Amino acid sequence: MTNAAFQTFISGGLLLLVIAVTATGWLLWMQRDAKEDAEMAALDGVTHELRLNLQRMLGELVTLSNGVAYAPGSLMDIHHPQLDAVNQGLVHCDRKALAVMGAAYQELQASKLHLRNHLEAGQDAAVEHEAAVSAAIDGITTLYMWDAHDGCSPRDARSTRSWAVRDWMKANGFGQIVVPGMHLRDEVVERLRTYGMPLTPRPLTHTAHEYWSLRYDRQKDPRAVFGPRRIRKEPKDEGPEFSPLVDAAE
């Protein structure tokens, strides 16, 4: 083999090696992107699955609260295949948040089962209906933390305005009134505040009359502009000072 042919062989081999490495890297990158897209689609499926289950359960509870007679099969079982698939698959996500969603599903199913058993037995199910509504409210709070705060706990969430929670509920199709005498969005906001989420504005602790009627002492207020006022101590009157000259003259 001549020197020119050897150089041509080496150059062609290096070119093929570069093409092979580039193609392998491109294929691995495409597989990584496809895996990330599949994981995002699976997590979105978990979100939509819980939202649809909650909306269906709220619709069933509204029907019962409006005085419609219970029909067998109207309270359907709750299934969550999307959540089960994410738990079984190697999806990169917060497993603690998934555990919270699983607990929310268990509470929803248990409350619906108790309500259905009492209705089928012809018993008074007012307490069970209230428990089912409370479980639905807890489910909405879990869905809100999963969707808007990446599944973190309410105590670890960032400070949020309560109107943002109401706007999120409105955008996700949760109505204002579920049962007579109860406003769903207000109940969800109060439930989040009860669980420790910093929501603003904070509820008022005093009325305007009570606030302005408080006796304010700036000298004892540690949050004053210049801090608590220092009180100058008056010098004690210890009587006339002792003078040896005056005493000697007397």
Side-chain angles (χ1 to χ4, degrees):
M1 182 181 291
T2 62
N3 188 17
F6 179 75
Q7 291 181 357
T8 303
F9 174 76
I10 293 296
S11 300
L14 292 176
L15 180 61
L16 291 176
L17 180 62
V18 170
I19 293 175
V21 171
T22 304
T24 303
W26 181 77
L27 289 176
L28 292 176
W29 183 265
M30 291 298 294
Q31 290 180 357
R32 180 174 179 272
D33 284 348
K35 182 180 179 181
E36 290 181 353
D37 293 340
E39 290 180 353
M40 292 300 298
L43 296 178
D44 289 340
V46 171
T47 303
H48 291 294
E49 183 179 59
L50 181 56
R51 179 175 58 84
L52 293 176
N53 281 320
L54 287 171
Q55 288 177 349
R56 184 180 65 187
M57 182 172 178
L58 289 173
E60 295 168 352
L61 295 176
V62 168
T63 302
L64 294 175
S65 62
N66 290 334
V68 179
Y70 169 74
S74 59
L75 292 177
M76 301 175 60
D77 292 333
I78 297 177
H79 301 283
H80 41 82
Q82 291 287 341
L83 181 62
D84 295 338
V86 171
N87 282 323
Q88 294 174 2
L90 298 178
V91 179
H92 181 70
C93 62
D94 189 358
R95 294 292 170 173
K96 295 181 180 179
L98 289 179
V100 173
M101 297 188 72
Y105 272 119
Q106 292 178 1
E107 184 181 4
L108 292 173
Q109 180 64 19
S111 62
K112 183 179 286 191
L113 181 61
H114 287 303
L115 178 60
R116 184 171 58 192
N117 291 337
H118 278 72
L119 291 174
E120 291 179 353
Q123 301 174 357
D124 185 14
V127 177
E128 286 71 19
H129 185 274
E130 184 178 356
V133 173
S134 179
I137 294 173
D138 283 335
I140 295 175
T141 58
T142 301
L143 178 60
Y144 170 74
M145 298 305 301
W146 169 267
D147 189 27
H149 295 271
D150 297 330
C152 67
S153 63
R155 295 184 181 276
D156 298 333
R158 63 182 182 274
S159 179
T160 308
R161 292 189 61 84
S162 59
W163 283 109
V165 180
R166 292 182 172 89
D167 291 340
W168 176 87
M169 294 182 63
K170 188 185 301 183
N172 284 270
F174 293 105
Q176 175 65 358
I177 299 176
V178 175
V179 296
M182 190 198 77
H183 297 277
L184 181 61
R185 296 171 191 167
D186 297 339
E187 291 294 332
V188 172
V189 170
E190 292 302 323
R191 192 67 59 90
L192 287 170
R193 186 176 281 117
T194 302
Y195 290 158
M197 184 174 180
L199 291 173
T200 57
R202 297 178 180 178
L204 297 177
T205 57
H206 302 283
T207 63
H209 176 73
E210 292 174 348
Y211 178 79
W212 294 111
S213 298
L214 295 175
R215 299 183 62 181
Y216 175 70
D217 189 355
R218 179 174 169 271
Q219 295 179 356
K220 297 181 180 180
D221 187 2
R223 297 175 298 178
V225 179
F226 299 103
R229 181 183 296 179
R230 297 181 179 179
I231 303 176
R232 296 182 180 180
K233 297 182 179 180
E234 296 291 339
K236 297 182 179 180
D237 188 7
E238 299 179 353
E241 297 181 356
F242 174 74
S243 178
L245 297 178
V246 174
D247 293 344
E250 294 178 353

